Amino acid sequence: MYVAVKGGEVAIDNAHRLLADRRRGDRDVPALRLDQIVEQLALAVDRVMAEGSLYDRELAALAIRQARGDMIEAIFLTRAYRTTLPRFGYSRPVETGAMLVERRVSATYKDLPGGQLLGPTFDYTHRLLDPELAGDAPVEAPAVRPEAPEPMPRVTEILAQEGLIEPDGAAGAGTEPGDITRQPAEYPMDRDVRLQALSRGDEGFLLALAYSTQRGFGRTHPFVGEIRIGEVDVELDVPELPFAVPLGRIRVTECQMVNQFKGSMKAPPQFTRGYGLVMGQSERKAMAMSLCDRALRAAEFGEDIVAPAQDQEFVIAHSDNVQATGFVEHLKLPHYVDFQAELGLVRQMRTEFDERRGASAERKEAAE
Amino acid sequence: MASAPRDRSRDQEENARRKAAMAALSAAPAEDLRALWREAGICVEARTLRGPETGLVTLRGRMGGGGAPFNFGEATVTRATVRLATGEIGHAYALGRDREKATLSATIDALWQRADMRATVEERIILPLAARAAQAEAQQRAETAATRVDFFTMVRGED
């Protein structure tokens, strides 16, 4: 039986009004502007873009403000917004080798063409809170070192020359990459579709899984071949123009994880690879993604699947924090009728249990 | 027959120049573009054929950087198409949601196709935008280069 229950409209309206008030907070404190969020909470904006899967800084900033800084709520808002827009098409693949690099480090080669560029990193900071940042002290302009641009080949291309590393993943039989926003998930899932899911997956979840592989749950022996952060050109093929139309540049983070591999029945000993590509400056996420990508390739290399990080369905089906929060949080919505039914069932089972116990006690007494 | 390859290469060159102009327009900050347009003082009537409208473009990368393509998210893109009274049709596509910028860029693209206007458009709008972009890029490169690690080796022992 389906019972419609009405009521609560006034309570809901007032709750939302209260939310708006609490979101604004003390009116004597100036309201946050979106450009302040974009400029000064840039990595929060990047995370909302990456996991909201929508590259638009201002929208991500609006989502963060509307969500009172609740990142998953902001990601949810961003995902919901993108469903309202028509799709113009699929871009040409971005060329990360031609990136306008802002940071580029390798843990495998000290000296490499283009060098090691630290960029705006938290690395080597002492992680001590800086009381100066509580105020608005003037900030020095960055140091500059003018020089002619140098090509910066990907580190994996250097290793490839020796033939000791597997090549970039080649295209499968189907030429068009799969799209999780268009097709339902099916397992086993091809690597292109897994990478799409990982790229927008929850940073915390992927970080924990990546960590689990390091701790021995599906060991992968990783080295950071290269991390690069910077801007890449985006181009789109459109029918009305005889060339790919340039749309502008986006910032991305790319991680090439290089993994020792002792070989198997299927593959010779070589370095294998995991790949991470994430919107914005999202280094931790790109690293976690590349570790998870490699772990999920277990079957491809004939490795035993023994750990959660190697299990495609476990990883991909639970990596999306919008789905996860939807299903976990729906539990707080009214389940009055469901619960009444369960209550009736438990009462009945309890009665039967008591009767059985009573009957067996009687039998025992009789036997004695 | 002999002229066909020459035409093709001329077309290719023309397309490359138009693409470069469109790249300068799409990458331009909207305020810069509006200011240059005002300063250029070009008077033109452009009828909107499509948009301006905002939609999504799915972004693609390649496995390992150079392998098979995969989708890694979407970006907002705004486009517009206009027709000038003289018949040229201009298109604009750019990341973001600025409709005014899209319409203006499409108008400039249409003007660029007019033989009598190309030089003005290049000189007053496209080249200044490209110069600013190049300068910003050079500054960014120099700031990044200052964070390059110069390794040195500590020499130990007598010889």
Side-chain angles (χ1 to χ4, degrees), chain A residues 54-56 59 81 85, chain B residues 54-56 74-78 94-97:
Chain A
L54 182 65
Y55 198 96
D56 189 315
L59 280 178
Y81 176 83
L85 295 176
Chain B
T54 299
L56 298 173
E74 285 149 342
T76 52
V77 169
T78 300
L95 292 168
R97 285 166 295 122

Side-chain angles (χ1 to χ4, degrees), chain A residues 32-305:
Chain A
L32 265 178
R33 293 198 319 263
L34 298 191
D35 58 349
Q36 292 175 316
I37 298 173
V38 168
E39 290 295 316
Q40 296 173 45
L41 297 177
L43 302 194
V45 168
D46 284 353
R47 181 167 180 192
V48 170
M49 292 200 302
E51 293 173 33
S53 204
L54 182 65
Y55 198 96
D56 189 315
R57 290 208 153 73
E58 267 200 4
L59 280 178
L62 176 62
I64 289 169
R65 191 173 165 201
Q66 186 175 334
R68 305 178 72 191
D70 178 333
M71 297 299 273
I72 291 183
E73 183 71 19
I75 289 158
F76 198 159
L77 290 169
T78 309
R79 288 272 186 96
Y81 176 83
R82 56 163 281 286
T83 63
T84 65
L85 295 176
R87 171 140 29 182
F88 293 163
Y90 292 90
S91 82
R92 291 256 179 112
V94 296
E95 181 44 72
T96 54
M99 179 186 284
L100 174 59
V101 167
E102 293 161 22
R103 170 169 166 78
R104 188 266 200 127
V105 291
S106 168
T108 51
Y109 288 106
K110 179 164 68 70
D111 300 303
L112 69 172
Q116 308 254 3
L117 299 157
L118 300 183
T121 181
F122 292 123
D123 295 351
Y124 316 109
T125 63
H126 294 106
R127 265 73 185 213
L128 297 172
L129 277 174
D130 180 1
E132 282 227 323
L133 278 174
D136 187 15
V139 176
E140 267 185 296
V144 290
R145 178 159 148 181
E147 55 184 23
E150 225 183 306
M152 235 173 272
R154 284 188 292 265
V155 165
T156 42
E157 284 164 22
I158 303 170
L159 258 179
Q161 287 162 8
E162 269 191 90
L164 291 178
I165 189 166
E166 62 155 335
D168 296 339
T175 46
E176 272 299 292
D179 185 350
I180 48 171
T181 69
R182 291 295 171 99
Q183 299 127 5
E186 271 175 42
Y187 302 95
M189 189 178 260
D190 287 336
R191 190 178 175 204
D192 54 350
V193 186
R194 297 201 306 260
L195 287 168
Q196 184 182 14
L198 292 173
S199 188
R200 69 176 197 173
D202 182 77
E203 179 171 320
F205 180 71
L206 297 184
L207 177 67
L209 283 171
Y211 182 39
S212 76
T213 68
Q214 290 182 282
R215 289 193 65 256
F217 290 83
R219 238 178 125 64
T220 52
H221 302 273
F223 297 92
V224 169
E226 184 180 14
I227 291 168
R228 56 170 67 197
I229 303 175
E231 291 182 340
V232 290
D233 290 309
V234 183
E235 293 189 344
L236 177 71
D237 284 308
V238 293
E240 62 268 30
L241 287 166
F243 48 83
V245 60
L247 303 179
R249 278 205 294 242
I250 60 167
R251 181 173 291 118
V252 296
T253 303
E254 180 185 55
C255 178
Q256 304 272 3
M257 200 63 82
V258 175
N259 305 76
Q260 184 206 95
F261 178 59
K262 64 183 190 328
S264 71
M265 294 293 282
K266 282 186 176 178
Q270 61 179 333
F271 288 106
T272 57
R273 296 166 57 183
Y275 186 65
L277 182 67
V278 184
M279 290 179 194
Q281 178 173 343
S282 310
E283 190 163 292
R284 183 187 305 114
K285 166 77 177 282
M287 292 179 75
M289 175 176 172
S290 60
L291 285 166
C292 289
D293 173 43
R294 175 59 187 85
L296 290 173
R297 297 178 64 202
E300 201 182 318
F301 294 109
E303 294 169 324
D304 293 333
I305 296 175

Side-chain angles (χ1 to χ4, degrees), chain A residues 334-354:
Chain A
H335 282 67
Y336 306 136
V337 178
D338 287 355
F339 188 70
Q340 284 304 318
E342 297 268 319
L343 196 59
L345 188 62
V346 172
R347 277 199 191 109
Q348 189 191 334
M349 291 191 301
R350 176 61 75 87
T351 310
E352 288 165 9
F353 174 82
D354 288 344

Side-chain angles (χ1 to χ4, degrees), chain B residues 26-71:
Chain B
S26 64
E31 319 82 73
D32 288 6
L33 179 57
R34 278 192 271 272
L36 286 167
W37 174 252
R38 266 198 310 277
E39 286 162 27
I42 300 169
C43 236
V44 67
E45 212 176 302
R47 198 161 61 83
T48 305
L49 294 184
R50 179 178 65 183
E53 57 182 344
T54 299
L56 298 173
V57 166
T58 302
L59 302 167
R60 278 189 174 161
R62 289 187 182 281
M63 292 174 189
F70 68 95
N71 303 309

Side-chain angles (χ1 to χ4, degrees), chain A residues 246-248, chain B residues 17-30 32-33 36 93-94 101 105 108 122 125-133:
Chain A
L247 303 179
Chain B
R17 286 185 62 193
R18 185 172 172 204
K19 182 174 172 175
M22 291 181 91
L25 290 169
S26 64
D32 288 6
L33 179 57
L36 286 167
Y93 280 81
K101 178 183 158 179
S105 301
I108 294 168
E122 285 274 354
I125 298 168
I126 304 301
L127 292 179
L129 286 177
R132 278 177 214 190

